[in-house]
Amino acid sequence: MAPSGPGSSSARRRCRRVLYWIPVVFISLLLGWSYYAYAIQLCIVSMENTGEQVVCLMAYHLLFAMFVWSYWKTIFTLPMNPSKEFHLSYAEKELLEREPRGEAHQEVLRRAAKDLPIYTRTMSGAIRYCDRCQLIKPDRCHHCSVCDKCILKMDHHCPWVNNCVGFSNYKFFLLFLAYSLLYCLFIAATDLQYFIKFWTNGLPDTQAKFHIMFLFFAAAMFSVSLSSLFGYHCWLVSKNKSTLEAFRSPVFRHGTDKNGFSLGFSKNMRQVFGDEKKYWLLPIFSSLGDGCSFPTCLVNQDPEQPSTPAGLNSTAKNPENHQFPAKPLRESQSHLLTDSQSWTESSTNPGKCKTGMSNPALTMENET
């Protein structure tokens, strides 16, 4: 039996890293073949009308360039990790390791999280803490088992891009889905008449006819799968949810709230695509914020806050009465809450907000 040690472990990790690139290589080879089949075999060899050739080639190369650009950015944009302020200090780490699990651990985490802009908790109401990274998780941050890192606003780990899709590249991922769908639909639409000619023997018996046939099948098949995936992520953006949050709603101090981060369709879009619409269709980073803190509007009443008096509008009907968490919000996101029809932090009774910042009933739960 072969001995196991640091050398064999590192060799296994290198093998896994190589295997993770197989889906990306497959997509790249498929894309390269589609370029040859469409631009050369269909447009140049099979199309007889010069005007049709020029229009199809110009439109095709535009979609091809945007597809490749957004795909490249999705793959090679490094996921963002929590900043240093979310990591425990050396003394705090020693306390966690030395003390038995219990109130001492809870108190260490409560003190460390006191001034951090975190609103969410674990299912049991504890501060979200990662044992592997030894940090307090920012809101919407999760530990990726493949990357072995905590990823800001993690959506999912995508094998087709060999990367975590999160705050730093979610916009690029959406554009990748959009341009790949347009790419496939354009190919299927312009190839359809030649595909029909293939079955009616209207094309000469050359190598091009087989490329035309398989090109249409591939484009049509990917169009169906991409349309459902792109539609799903458009719905997520409109609700300001990640894929993980769609399956498990975020938990706040007052309890689970599936719409806790939703600010309305327009502001949800701006969080991902930014304020300047001229950058929306380009794979250039323009998302708002820093990935560590997010504006939130709590739909349910926080039990630590006073209940709404009888006769007044409920918080669900009057956005101005929504309870806003007491932690400080990052300046890069705060303007979403200060313009018209936004949710603002209540400042009428700062004492009450302060008492809501710590919950003695919190219990620590380690999440990885």
Side-chain angles (χ1 to χ4, degrees), residues 54-321:
V54 172
V55 171
C56 287
L57 283 172
M58 289 179 63
Y60 172 81
H61 279 92
L62 176 61
L63 290 175
F64 181 83
M66 298 304 295
F67 179 11
V68 172
W69 187 9
S70 57
Y71 189 44
W72 177 276
K73 294 284 286 186
T74 306
I75 295 172
F76 294 105
T77 299
L78 294 177
M80 289 180 62
N81 311 120
S83 56
K84 292 182 179 179
E85 62 187 312
F86 290 91
H87 291 259
L88 297 184
S89 66
Y90 181 77
E92 290 167 338
K93 291 177 184 178
E94 280 196 330
L95 283 174
L96 286 181
E97 293 173 358
R98 187 169 60 246
E99 299 292 336
R101 292 186 181 274
E103 183 60 29
H105 284 73
Q106 300 168 29
E107 185 60 30
V108 170
L109 292 179
R110 282 198 292 267
R111 285 201 306 264
K114 181 178 63 174
D115 297 321
L116 295 176
I118 56 172
Y119 314 142
T120 55
R121 301 289 186 264
T122 65
M123 294 297 293
S124 62
I127 301 291
R128 300 172 65 241
Y129 176 73
C130 179
D131 267 332
R132 293 188 64 85
C133 300
Q134 292 186 315
L135 57 82
I136 295 172
K137 294 181 181 179
D139 293 341
R140 316 183 82 174
C141 174
H142 297 275
H143 187 91
C144 176
S145 59
V146 179
C147 300
D148 197 24
K149 295 178 183 177
C150 281
I151 308 298
L152 294 182
K153 197 189 174 185
M154 180 178 172
D155 188 88
H156 68 289
H157 185 93
C158 181
W160 297 107
V161 300
N162 190 28
N163 200 1
C164 254
V165 177
F167 175 75
S168 62
N169 63 351
Y170 187 61
K171 177 192 173 185
F172 305 150
F173 178 74
L174 285 173
L175 292 178
F176 159 62
L177 293 180
Y179 286 123
S180 59
L181 177 59
L182 291 174
Y183 180 80
C184 292
L185 289 174
F186 176 79
I187 288 177
T190 54
D191 188 29
L192 178 59
Q193 59 174 317
Y194 297 94
F195 178 75
I196 295 174
K197 287 181 181 179
F198 170 84
W199 292 106
T200 58
N201 296 320
L203 289 177
D205 192 11
T206 61
Q207 182 185 10
K209 66 186 299 184
F210 296 102
H211 285 286
I212 291 171
M213 180 185 69
F214 289 116
L215 185 65
F216 180 82
F217 273 127
M221 179 183 66
F222 279 102
S223 295
V224 174
S225 58
L226 286 170
S227 60
S228 59
L229 184 59
F230 179 63
Y232 174 69
H233 277 278
C234 287
W235 176 80
L236 289 178
V237 172
S238 70
K239 299 295 183 180
N240 205 342
K241 295 181 180 181
S242 66
T243 299
L244 294 176
E245 291 166 351
F247 285 96
R248 187 174 68 179
S249 300
V251 180
F252 297 86
R253 285 187 292 107
H254 68 284
T256 302
D257 195 331
K258 65 180 181 179
N259 296 316
F261 290 109
S262 182
L263 303 175
F265 178 79
S266 175
K267 293 181 181 181
N268 294 343
M269 288 282 293
R270 285 163 56 193
Q271 269 202 0
V272 175
F273 291 97
D275 289 325
E276 299 190 55
K277 294 183 179 180
K278 62 183 179 181
Y279 296 126
W280 282 17
L281 300 181
L282 298 177
I284 298 172
F285 184 81
S286 58
S287 301
L288 300 181
D290 56 8
C292 291
S293 63
F294 299 88
T296 178
C297 176
L298 301 184
V299 175
N300 300 318
Q301 182 76 20
D302 192 331
E304 296 183 12
Q305 300 290 344
S307 58
T308 305
L312 296 181
N313 291 335
S314 67
T315 58
K317 293 180 180 179
N318 188 354
E320 296 300 325
N321 290 333

